[in-house]
Amino acid sequence: MNNIVYQVHNNLYINLTNRCPCACVFCLRNKTDRVGQSDRLWLEKEPTVQEVEAEFEKRDVSSFDEIVFCGFGEPTERLDAIKEIAAFLKEKYDKPIRLNTNGLGDLINGRKIAGELAGLIDVVSISLNTPSEKRYMEEVRPSFGKGSFGALLSFAKDCVKVIPKVVLSTVATTLSKEEEEECARMIEAIGATYRIRPFE
Ligand code: SF4
């Protein structure tokens, strides 16, 4: 099966890169080489925009529910490719487009990026993971160090202003009830939606 565009449930996922500035203790990449109907999500080389578009041309995109930027790495490492591909998808197919991200795209790109996603991305889903910077640093281990958690929250706030739906997520069973309640309060204050995603 293909590793650039792959199917998960009834959605098409785009695997743009294996680069990521984090080393999450729970990262799926430590346990498996594949997700959904993919074969191996480790890329020999990052696909070009044209290669990704060609993958969509081969498929009956109309039969899928959603298109998702999410692979074995952080998609915003390739912000320009996201923008180009999303514009192509918007023009060609009438499907919602989601970006799954660790929320550190501002630090990765050295500038605020939410405005660049406006009109191209319908849903931004950010992995919040924990309600506190201390636990975030222990579990996500971002190479940017301290300030990463604040940058994530700032990106989420920016997204709420320009993206139709913004979701912040934590993983079921990894937080106490009190911590989940704290996340819910933080996310409500930001104006985003809270999702507790299943433990995989
Ligand atoms: S941000 Fe995602 S890809 Fe990066 S280490 Fe964490 S779980 Fe893995």
Side-chain angles (χ1 to χ4, degrees), residues 3-4 6 8 13-20 27-29 33 35 38 41-43 68-76 99-101:
N3 298 318
I4 301 173
Y6 60 105
V8 180
Y13 278 53
I14 306 172
N15 184 29
L16 278 183
T17 184
N18 292 149
R19 286 180 280 155
C20 181
C27 183
L28 214 56
R29 304 184 302 181
D33 287 344
V35 177
S38 63
L41 292 174
W42 294 110
L43 296 160
V68 188
F69 287 95
C70 172
F72 251 23
E74 167 51 35
T76 60
L99 167 66
N100 284 5
T101 174

Side-chain angles (χ1 to χ4, degrees), residues 18-29 71-74 101-102 127 129 139-140 197:
N18 292 149
R19 286 180 280 155
C20 181
C22 303
C24 299
V25 290
F26 47 79
C27 183
L28 214 56
R29 304 184 302 181
F72 251 23
E74 167 51 35
T101 174
N102 60 24
S127 303
N129 295 314
E139 310 238 338
V140 175
R197 54 189 206 274

